[in-house]
Amino acid sequence: MAAIITEKFRQSNADSFNADVSSSKYYMFVGKSQPWTSEGASTDSQPPTPVDSVAPESYYWDDMLAAKLISSKSYVIPRRDFSTSSAFDMYRHDVGAVSTGNYGNTKTTSSSGANNLFDSTFYFKTSDHKVYKVLYNGDQLQTGASNISGSEPTSTGNAPFWQDNNYYIKFMYTMTTTEVQNYLTTDFMTVKVNANADANRGVYVFMVTSGGSSYPNGTFYTKLRGDGTGGIAKLVIAGGVIAEFGNNSLSTTSFMQANGTGYSFANFSLAGTNIYTDASASTLISGATLTSWNGATAGTVKAIVDPPSGHGTDDIAELGGHYIMLQSKFEPADADVVQVNDFRRVGIVKNPKDPTTNSVASLSTARTTNAIIMAAGGSGSFQVDELITQATTGANGRVIEWDATNRILYYVQEKYTSYGLDTSGNLTAFSGANAVTGSSSSAVHTPSTSTSGTTNGVVFASGYAVPELSRDTGEVIYIENRRAISRASDQTEDIKVVVEF
């Protein structure tokens, strides 16, 4: 029960987060144009591991280049592809649970040995992006499942069906072209609710964990016991042994005669008083007063209970949608995103504020660098990433972009010596009509303090523009440091972040 409660808790938190993404404002941002050696790394190819601390958050704002409102999100699950060279697990409600009584005091594992249902491989995706759940995989006595066989399934009906004589599967949903483009990666794939339930929490599958011995041969029936109604199993006896669960089109296999409804727990008793000779389970076997069938050694049959409301009712919960994928595309059309510099950091910030309103920002894209508009004249062109210094104030920074046409200098100031701190170790802001000089280019330009208003989409006040998201506001909830990713004017960065619950 504890494992089930834990999974419900995870799903509840994933649901809450998904709803919060819709009601709050989450921005994906990119940053860090300077090499990691600026932060003390030995080489730029070895990004530092982010630390779980409040202290670094202001540093993330210092080197932030641009942010984009996250409007694309989806529940996702680990990707599993159909392959005839693979043996898949089957759905079992009891994986991870400790069994008692007839089944021993042991922890139940999947066919592959997983201790948690959602770590097992009980579903797969076909090449045309249809997703199926495996209800049974032929692993009757947990001796190992065989590989799935045959061509990829194509059925989209509600009822489970046999892929081969070992695999009993059910169609869950089909991914759309948009979902494939946005959320299918090498590791994850989208999951969504597709209303195609086939029953109201009955039992489709049972496992003959012990076939018993000395039973009379023939076909018999037994009622499913538990808190539901109507479940009946067909038991085929051959050679005195209960035949394994299998394809009901075969005369040699046992199967569920009726799935029943409303079961949250279920079990079978193979005492003679529970064995019937007819499919409606109304005529008791001869010798019903015996505790077993005519002196047979009783076998054991394990019922696999459907998820709440039946298979296919809630694909997200049933397949383990404890992950949310957040996706943003930084595209050439995004004017606020620099296209002439690289970045090394990806992050997510929740509910940052707009400096013009002091309310939660709602911009679709946001420039997060500082900017200066320069007066006419001056000399030279600033170079990307070079150190810039300002006369009189002593302010230091690093160039993100120089827009020579509009005379706009975009820059950041990091809290490191020669990257933003002045010679006294202070982070001094650029201000006034003091000349700004590039250390590598020797370019010299003077801020146009008489200019206020909008130029090329940037709002200036006395020659200076602040970032479009207020620094150190909101909550940075995710950081990933990477090797340098170069940008180009015709390039799109499709960034996907998966949050696990």
Side-chain angles (χ1 to χ4, degrees), residues 378-419:
S379 63
S381 295
F382 294 107
Q383 296 175 355
V384 168
D385 290 338
E386 74 172 324
L387 174 67
I388 51 173
T389 58
Q390 187 175 39
T392 306
T393 66
N396 283 347
R398 291 280 173 162
V399 174
I400 298 302
E401 181 180 0
W402 168 238
D403 178 356
T405 302
N406 295 291
R407 307 189 313 281
I408 299 175
L409 175 64
Y410 300 93
Y411 67 97
V412 296
Q413 292 179 283
E414 297 185 48
K415 297 185 183 75
Y416 304 104
T417 302
S418 82
Y419 290 89

Side-chain angles (χ1 to χ4, degrees), residues 294-318:
N294 299 323
T297 300
T300 53
V301 176
K302 173 72 173 177
I304 305 300
V305 181
D306 290 7
S309 300
H311 293 290
T313 302
D314 186 347
D315 306 51
I316 296 172
E318 292 173 39

Side-chain angles (χ1 to χ4, degrees), residues 76-100:
V76 293
I77 52 179
R79 177 173 175 170
R80 321 282 192 205
D81 289 334
F82 176 88
S83 171
T84 53
S85 61
S86 296
F88 292 93
D89 288 320
M90 59 179 275
Y91 173 84
R92 291 188 60 172
H93 70 285
D94 60 343
V95 173
V98 175
S99 299
T100 57

Side-chain angles (χ1 to χ4, degrees), residues 251-279:
S251 61
T252 56
T253 58
S254 301
F255 197 72
M256 284 300 295
Q257 181 71 17
N259 304 118
T261 60
Y263 292 95
S264 64
F265 80 98
N267 58 76
F268 292 100
S269 171
L270 301 188
T273 52
N274 294 306
I275 305 302
Y276 298 81
T277 58
D278 61 303

